[in-house]
Amino acid sequence: QVQLVESGGGLVQAGGSLRLSCAASGRIFRSYAMGWFRQAPGQEREFVAAITWSGGRTYGAPSVKGGFTISRDNTKNTVYLQMNSLKPEDTAVYYCAVGEPAMIVAGTAAYWGQGTQVTVSS
């Protein structure tokens, strides 16, 4: 089992920044990637970004490239999502997830966090 705990969400004005954190505990395979998804009200959950265990490869949705950066600290089993130049359309619940890279990029995961709300005001 893997437990994921997100933090760092909140309310920010358009153009502002937030950094989300996700701390993982439990049995995490080195083949796993860690990633972020988001779900806005009335919309389906969508993939945001992912990073491999080694940190050597990252994946990002076209809608967030240039504004969001994913990174990880394996000494802390933590993945981060730095979000800059936020827009009102980035408002959503953001979920941390772990799983095989292909699984994450395809839109699913082996384990999910409980989610953290990000609200961007105009």
Side-chain angles (χ1 to χ4, degrees):
Q1 283 286 358
V2 175
Q3 293 77 43
L4 304 171
V5 179
E6 301 104 329
S7 60
L11 173 64
V12 64
Q13 289 187 333
S17 299
L18 281 175
R19 189 176 81 155
L20 304 182
S21 300
C22 173
S25 60
R27 189 178 185 184
I28 304 170
F29 295 109
R30 290 186 176 268
S31 63
Y32 277 177
M34 295 184 73
W36 292 93
F37 291 76
R38 67 185 181 185
Q39 187 168 21
Q43 297 186 22
E44 293 187 354
R45 184 175 60 206
E46 66 171 344
F47 167 74
V48 175
I51 187 167
T52 56
W53 174 265
S54 67
R57 185 166 184 178
T58 60
Y59 309 82
S63 59
V64 302
K65 282 187 176 178
F68 292 11
T69 302
I70 190 169
S71 61
R72 68 189 294 167
D73 183 345
N74 286 344
T75 65
K76 299 179 180 179
N77 276 349
T78 299
V79 65
Y80 305 98
L81 185 67
Q82 178 66 45
M83 304 185 293
N84 298 326
S85 302
L86 283 162
K87 307 170 185 176
E89 52 264 41
D90 293 318
T91 295
V93 177
Y94 284 70
Y95 297 91
C96 178
V98 296
E100 297 294 336
M103 177 188 290
I104 296 283
V105 175
T108 188
Y111 299 96
W112 296 92
Q114 81 287 354
T116 185
Q117 177 70 46
V118 171
T119 303
V120 184
S121 63
S122 58

